[in-house]
């Protein structure tokens, strides 16, 4: 017959189980954090791509009989009509996720704007726009390429 001391778990067994659970939870939290950072980066790059496509589409549709463009700053992007003027009532500003930054912009003319030409949809501001996660250097950056013809691609 077993004595009462032989029933149940020992303190060592409980500590081992708690340690294993702690390690599993830490691993899951780290994986989830990495996933959400990558998702934020992809979301910002896809939003920028969509904004450029919208500016080109509105230009080709001659909405308001004007050209449209997109301006990129470190923490936001702006859709504008005509030429960019900060604070103009027609501007539509889209902030990036706070974890994402536009880390590099390399456009012809060394500006931060892409303006599309009416009738052709082409642009004189071809080049690249790079988004990254400054606090996560291991996550690869997302690069948008703008061609002279006005077509945009995400890499």
């Amino acid at each position: 017959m077993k004595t009462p001391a032989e029933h149940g778990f020992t303190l060592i067994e409980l500590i081992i189980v708690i340690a294993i659970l702690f390690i599993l939870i830490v691993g899951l939290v780290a994986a989830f954090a990495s996933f959400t950072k990558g998702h934020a980066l992809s979301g910002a790059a896809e939003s920028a791509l969509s904004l450029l496509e919208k500016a080109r589409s509105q230009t080709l549709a001659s909405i308001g009989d004007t050209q449209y463009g997109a301006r990129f700053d470190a923490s936001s992007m702006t859709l504008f009509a005509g030429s960019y003027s900060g604070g103009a009532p027609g501007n539509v500003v889209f902030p990036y996720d706070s974890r994402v930054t536009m880390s590099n912009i390399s456009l012809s003319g060394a500006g931060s704007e892409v303006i599309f030409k009416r009738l052709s949809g082409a642009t004189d501001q071809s080049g690249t726009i790079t988004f990254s996660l400054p606090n996560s250097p291991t996550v690869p950056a997302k690069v948008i390429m703008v061609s002279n013809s006005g077509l945009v691609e995400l890499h």
Side-chain angles (χ1 to χ4, degrees):
M1 180 172 220
K2 294 185 176 184
T3 65
E6 295 174 341
H7 293 284
F9 301 104
T10 66
L11 182 60
I12 298 286
E13 291 170 330
L14 286 175
I15 290 173
I16 290 171
V17 168
I18 290 171
I20 290 170
L21 287 175
F22 179 76
I23 291 169
L24 289 173
I25 290 170
V26 167
L28 288 172
V29 168
F32 182 71
S34 176
F35 172 76
T36 58
K37 287 178 186 177
H39 186 69
L41 178 61
S42 294
E46 289 170 7
S47 293
L49 181 72
S50 178
L51 181 76
L52 286 163
E53 289 172 340
K54 183 175 184 171
R56 184 172 190 259
S57 174
Q58 288 182 335
T59 298
L60 288 171
S62 293
I63 296 175
D65 292 328
T66 190
Q67 60 191 11
Y68 288 81
R71 177 181 174 88
F72 295 90
D73 296 309
S75 62
S76 66
M77 54 192 159
T78 305
L79 175 67
F80 61 89
S83 59
Y84 179 75
S85 174
N91 290 355
V92 182
V93 178
F94 300 95
Y96 309 135
D97 185 295
S98 61
R99 297 169 287 186
V100 177
T101 187
M102 189 218 28
S103 57
N104 186 30
I105 187 162
S106 177
L107 298 172
S108 300
S112 60
E113 300 169 9
V114 177
I115 301 171
F116 297 97
K117 296 178 185 177
R118 291 187 63 207
L119 302 178
S120 69
T123 183
D124 292 330
Q125 296 85 29
S126 61
T128 60
I129 303 163
T130 306
F131 293 91
S132 63
L133 295 170
N135 296 329
S136 299
T138 58
V139 178
K142 298 284 184 179
V143 179
I144 295 176
M145 297 180 70
V146 181
S147 69
N148 286 335
S149 66
L151 297 177
V152 291
E153 294 180 272
L154 177 59
H155 294 278

